[in-house]
Amino acid sequence: YTFVTLTFMVPRALWNNKPEFWDLGNTYQSIITGGEAGFAITIFGTSYLFLGILGLMIGMFLFAWLQKIIYEWLRPYDGDITNVLYYGIAFWMAFQAMRFGTLGFSFVVFVQTMLVGVLAIWAFSRIRI
């Protein structure tokens, strides 16, 4: 469910029998209401969909643990502008992952909106004046 979103980048002409896109929001909606339209279920709904309350607790623990690792790795508090910019992008993408609840769609959002910025930060950080 989470990575099938990435297959939209491959044209049907190259991959004739690629899987149909069916988001977790569609699955969640059909379980809850029986309808076919989907909605963004967030990371809370995704965690609950897989393992119920236990999944919600595990999902939130893992999400917080990952955020702590990213914060300690980037160290935005050191004052390096590059790390501050990277952390801002990481924080925004964490919000998108919470909002959408799927890694695949969050990755697509990253590629469409943040990849050029990350590459620009990386390129300009190599230039020392």
Side-chain angles (χ1 to χ4, degrees), residues 3 5 14 16 28 30 32 39 42 45 49 60 65 78 84-86 117 121 128:
F3 292 104
T5 311
L14 297 177
N16 237 359
Y28 199 69
S30 66
I32 299 298
F39 55 90
T42 72
L49 181 63
M60 291 301 96
W65 180 64
D78 280 350
V84 171
L85 293 171
Y86 281 144
I121 294 166
R128 297 293 176 198

Short mmCIF file of all heavy atoms in Angstrom, two decimals, residues 3 5 14 16 28 30 32 39 42 45 49 60 65 78 84-86 117 121 128:
data_model
loop_
_atom_site.label_atom_id
_atom_site.label_comp_id
_atom_site.label_asym_id
_atom_site.label_seq_id
_atom_site.Cartn_x
_atom_site.Cartn_y
_atom_site.Cartn_z
N PHE A 3 4.10 1.87 -0.99
CA PHE A 3 5.02 2.18 -2.08
C PHE A 3 4.39 2.03 -3.46
O PHE A 3 5.03 2.34 -4.45
CB PHE A 3 6.25 1.29 -1.98
CG PHE A 3 7.08 1.62 -0.77
CD1 PHE A 3 7.07 0.81 0.34
CD2 PHE A 3 7.85 2.77 -0.75
CE1 PHE A 3 7.82 1.12 1.46
CE2 PHE A 3 8.59 3.10 0.36
CZ PHE A 3 8.59 2.27 1.46
N THR A 5 2.32 3.89 -4.70
CA THR A 5 2.21 5.25 -5.23
C THR A 5 3.37 5.56 -6.15
O THR A 5 3.21 6.29 -7.12
CB THR A 5 2.18 6.27 -4.08
OG1 THR A 5 1.24 5.85 -3.11
CG2 THR A 5 1.81 7.64 -4.56
N LEU A 14 5.50 1.27 -20.74
CA LEU A 14 6.69 0.51 -20.33
C LEU A 14 6.36 -0.65 -19.41
O LEU A 14 7.09 -1.64 -19.37
CB LEU A 14 7.69 1.44 -19.63
CG LEU A 14 8.26 2.58 -20.46
CD1 LEU A 14 9.17 3.46 -19.62
CD2 LEU A 14 9.01 2.03 -21.67
N ASN A 16 3.08 -2.73 -18.74
CA ASN A 16 1.69 -2.96 -19.11
C ASN A 16 0.81 -3.40 -17.95
O ASN A 16 -0.31 -2.95 -17.82
CB ASN A 16 1.64 -4.03 -20.22
CG ASN A 16 0.95 -3.51 -21.44
OD1 ASN A 16 0.49 -2.38 -21.48
ND2 ASN A 16 0.88 -4.35 -22.46
N TYR A 28 -9.42 2.27 3.96
CA TYR A 28 -9.98 2.70 5.24
C TYR A 28 -11.43 3.13 5.08
O TYR A 28 -12.29 2.75 5.87
CB TYR A 28 -9.13 3.84 5.80
CG TYR A 28 -9.28 4.09 7.27
CD1 TYR A 28 -8.82 3.18 8.20
CD2 TYR A 28 -9.89 5.25 7.74
CE1 TYR A 28 -8.94 3.40 9.56
CE2 TYR A 28 -10.02 5.48 9.10
CZ TYR A 28 -9.54 4.56 10.00
OH TYR A 28 -9.67 4.78 11.32
N SER A 30 -13.53 2.20 2.76
CA SER A 30 -14.41 1.07 2.47
C SER A 30 -14.66 0.22 3.71
O SER A 30 -15.73 -0.34 3.87
CB SER A 30 -13.83 0.22 1.34
OG SER A 30 -12.62 -0.39 1.75
N ILE A 32 -14.67 1.39 6.93
CA ILE A 32 -15.47 2.16 7.88
C ILE A 32 -16.89 2.38 7.38
O ILE A 32 -17.86 2.15 8.10
CB ILE A 32 -14.81 3.52 8.19
CG1 ILE A 32 -13.44 3.31 8.83
CG2 ILE A 32 -15.69 4.39 9.08
CD1 ILE A 32 -13.46 2.60 10.16
N PHE A 39 -10.03 9.06 1.47
CA PHE A 39 -9.64 10.33 2.08
C PHE A 39 -8.31 10.13 2.77
O PHE A 39 -7.88 9.01 3.00
CB PHE A 39 -10.71 10.84 3.06
CG PHE A 39 -11.07 9.85 4.14
CD1 PHE A 39 -10.40 9.82 5.34
CD2 PHE A 39 -12.10 8.93 3.92
CE1 PHE A 39 -10.74 8.90 6.32
CE2 PHE A 39 -12.45 8.02 4.90
CZ PHE A 39 -11.76 8.00 6.10
N THR A 42 -4.20 9.99 7.51
CA THR A 42 -3.12 10.43 8.40
C THR A 42 -2.35 9.24 8.95
O THR A 42 -2.73 8.09 8.76
CB THR A 42 -3.62 11.30 9.57
OG1 THR A 42 -4.32 10.48 10.51
CG2 THR A 42 -4.50 12.43 9.11
N GLY A 45 -4.47 7.09 11.40
CA GLY A 45 -5.38 6.13 10.79
C GLY A 45 -4.65 4.95 10.18
O GLY A 45 -5.11 3.80 10.29
N LEU A 49 -5.20 1.24 11.35
CA LEU A 49 -5.70 0.30 10.34
C LEU A 49 -4.94 -1.02 10.37
O LEU A 49 -5.52 -2.08 10.23
CB LEU A 49 -5.61 0.92 8.95
CG LEU A 49 -6.12 0.11 7.77
CD1 LEU A 49 -7.60 -0.17 7.92
CD2 LEU A 49 -5.85 0.84 6.47
N MET A 60 3.25 5.74 16.69
CA MET A 60 3.62 7.04 17.26
C MET A 60 5.00 6.99 17.91
O MET A 60 5.77 7.94 17.83
CB MET A 60 2.57 7.50 18.27
CG MET A 60 1.22 7.86 17.66
SD MET A 60 1.33 9.18 16.43
CE MET A 60 1.44 8.27 14.91
N TRP A 65 10.59 8.59 17.59
CA TRP A 65 11.97 8.13 17.64
C TRP A 65 12.72 8.57 16.38
O TRP A 65 13.85 9.05 16.44
CB TRP A 65 11.98 6.62 17.81
CG TRP A 65 13.33 5.99 17.87
CD1 TRP A 65 14.29 6.19 18.82
CD2 TRP A 65 13.88 5.07 16.93
NE1 TRP A 65 15.39 5.43 18.54
CE2 TRP A 65 15.16 4.72 17.38
CE3 TRP A 65 13.38 4.49 15.77
CZ2 TRP A 65 15.98 3.84 16.70
CZ3 TRP A 65 14.20 3.60 15.10
CH2 TRP A 65 15.48 3.29 15.56
N ASP A 78 23.17 24.04 16.08
CA ASP A 78 24.58 24.44 15.98
C ASP A 78 24.75 25.77 15.26
O ASP A 78 25.81 26.37 15.31
CB ASP A 78 25.39 23.37 15.25
CG ASP A 78 25.76 22.22 16.16
OD1 ASP A 78 25.56 22.34 17.39
OD2 ASP A 78 26.25 21.20 15.64
N VAL A 84 20.07 23.98 9.28
CA VAL A 84 18.76 24.58 9.60
C VAL A 84 17.80 24.41 8.42
O VAL A 84 16.64 24.05 8.61
CB VAL A 84 18.92 26.06 9.99
CG1 VAL A 84 17.57 26.75 10.11
CG2 VAL A 84 19.72 26.20 11.27
N LEU A 85 18.29 24.65 7.21
CA LEU A 85 17.45 24.49 6.03
C LEU A 85 17.05 23.03 5.81
O LEU A 85 15.89 22.73 5.52
CB LEU A 85 18.15 25.04 4.79
CG LEU A 85 18.36 26.56 4.77
CD1 LEU A 85 19.26 26.95 3.61
CD2 LEU A 85 17.04 27.28 4.70
N TYR A 86 18.02 22.13 5.96
CA TYR A 86 17.70 20.70 5.84
C TYR A 86 16.67 20.28 6.90
O TYR A 86 15.76 19.50 6.62
CB TYR A 86 18.95 19.84 6.00
CG TYR A 86 19.82 19.75 4.78
CD1 TYR A 86 21.20 19.71 4.90
CD2 TYR A 86 19.29 19.67 3.50
CE1 TYR A 86 22.02 19.60 3.79
CE2 TYR A 86 20.09 19.57 2.38
CZ TYR A 86 21.46 19.54 2.54
OH TYR A 86 22.27 19.43 1.44
N GLY A 117 15.09 21.99 -3.96
CA GLY A 117 15.61 22.77 -2.84
C GLY A 117 16.74 22.05 -2.12
O GLY A 117 17.75 22.67 -1.77
N ILE A 121 20.52 23.48 -1.87
CA ILE A 121 21.21 23.66 -0.59
C ILE A 121 22.53 22.90 -0.61
O ILE A 121 23.58 23.42 -0.20
CB ILE A 121 20.33 23.17 0.58
CG1 ILE A 121 19.10 24.05 0.73
CG2 ILE A 121 21.13 23.15 1.88
CD1 ILE A 121 18.03 23.46 1.63
N ARG A 128 32.42 27.72 -0.84
CA ARG A 128 32.88 28.48 0.33
C ARG A 128 33.47 29.81 -0.15
O ARG A 128 34.34 29.85 -0.98
CB ARG A 128 33.95 27.70 1.10
CG ARG A 128 33.46 26.40 1.67
CD ARG A 128 32.44 26.68 2.76
NE ARG A 128 31.90 25.40 3.23
CZ ARG A 128 30.79 25.29 3.91
NH1 ARG A 128 30.08 26.34 4.20
NH2 ARG A 128 30.37 24.12 4.29
#
